[in-house]
């Protein structure tokens, strides 16, 4: 498996409230995370950083080999619930952080499958032999309007309340998350990203970058460059993971 994580402040924001990374545990299994913080007085920075640091520590020190999707799903569910409660308590106890929260999209990636969890509107896309598609569901007001047929997907692109989230990590005592598992084959690619990328770069443009001949590092930088060329009003964060079958070399 090849991977790269990049985050960029963008061209407008004075600081970066996104966070994330790709982390290996002692069994060689990867955990990829993208978290887009929100809240005043830099509290978004606090929420996304606390989330990533907590999950990284738990992943590197206490996670198992993740032999089955059920094991991965259980780990993600329990650890995300734990950090949600920690964020909520922290925001209640620290006046400057009241109301803070963060989106999260996280993927446990083995050589056979990837288990994905998400809360909010940071996304996961999958490229495989069937094409390129978004595999997570945005927990946003606009997406709910699209799902219920009240507005079209085209209308959603420029809706004035596009950034209103229906779920976020850390804003309530309990949080619901989506968790699912997908099976991988050779050359499949996962893209995890914050809305600083998905709001600027179309799926067709994403597909063009993923399928070009550049290496993974060049592809990741192309995403950042394109989002900034289109305005860069938000922080831009992404994780790219490409799978290959190395079983024959064993």
């Amino acid at each position: 498996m090849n991977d790269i994580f990049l985050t960029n402040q963008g061209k407008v924001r004075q600081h970066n409230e996104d966070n994330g990374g790709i982390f290996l545990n002692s069994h060689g299994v990867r955990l990829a995370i993208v978290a887009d913080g929100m809240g005043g007085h830099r509290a978004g920075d606090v929420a996304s950083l606390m989330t990533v640091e907590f999950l990284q520590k738990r992943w590197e020190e206490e996670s198992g080999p993740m032999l089955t999707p059920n094991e991965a799903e259980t780990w993600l569910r329990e650890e995300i619930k734990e950090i949600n409660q920690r964020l909520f308590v922290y925001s209640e106890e620290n006046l400057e952080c009241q109301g803070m929260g963060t989106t999260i999209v996280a993927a446990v990636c083995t050589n056979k499958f990837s288990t994905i969890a998400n809360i909010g509107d940071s996304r996961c896309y999958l490229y495989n032999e069937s094409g390129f598609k978004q595999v997570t569901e945005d927990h946003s007001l606009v997406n709910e309007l699209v799902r219920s047929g009240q507005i079209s997907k085209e209308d959603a692109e420029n809706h004035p309340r596009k950034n209103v989230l229906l779920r976020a990590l850390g804003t309530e005592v309990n949080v619901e998350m989506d968790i699912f598992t997908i099976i991988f084959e050779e050359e499949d690619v996962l893209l995890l990203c914050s809305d600083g990328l998905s709001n600027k770069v179309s799926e067709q443009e994403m597909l063009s970058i993923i399928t070009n001949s550049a290496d993974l590092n060049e592809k990741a930088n192309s995403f950042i460059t394109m989002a900034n060329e289109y305005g860069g009003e938000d922080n831009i964060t992404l994780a790219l993971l490409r799978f290959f079958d190395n079983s024959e070399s064993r």
Side-chain angles (χ1 to χ4, degrees), residues 37 41 92 94 111 119 127 143 162 176 182 193 209 211 221:
H41 306 290
E92 292 286 294
N94 294 271
N111 290 329
I119 301 168
Y127 171 72
N143 189 54
K162 186 173 182 177
E176 292 184 28
I182 55 179
C193 67
I209 291 173
T211 56
N221 279 289

Side-chain angles (χ1 to χ4, degrees), residues 13 15-18 35-49 87 91 94-103 163 165 168-171 234-235:
R13 297 288 179 92
H15 57 277
N16 194 344
E17 293 189 337
D18 287 1
D36 181 355
M38 57 195 188
H41 306 290
R42 296 180 64 86
D45 300 41
V46 176
S48 61
L49 178 62
L87 290 175
S91 68
N94 294 271
L95 186 62
E96 72 278 9
C97 291
Q98 285 188 356
M100 76 173 186
T102 183
T103 70
N163 294 325
L165 295 181
L169 191 66
T171 57
D234 203 352
N235 310 138

Side-chain angles (χ1 to χ4, degrees), residues 38-39 47 59 74 78 84 90 119 152 173 179 192 203 238 240:
M38 57 195 188
W59 182 252
T74 298
E78 291 179 352
N84 180 75
Y90 188 89
I119 301 168
S152 69
V173 178
I179 300 183
L192 281 63
E203 289 192 11
L238 65 101
L240 269 176

Side-chain angles (χ1 to χ4, degrees), residues 44-64:
D45 300 41
V46 176
S48 61
L49 178 62
M50 284 180 63
T51 297
V52 174
E53 286 185 341
F54 173 83
L55 292 175
Q56 178 185 4
K57 181 178 174 62
R58 288 292 183 96
W59 182 252
E60 292 176 346
E61 296 181 1
E62 300 179 26
S63 63

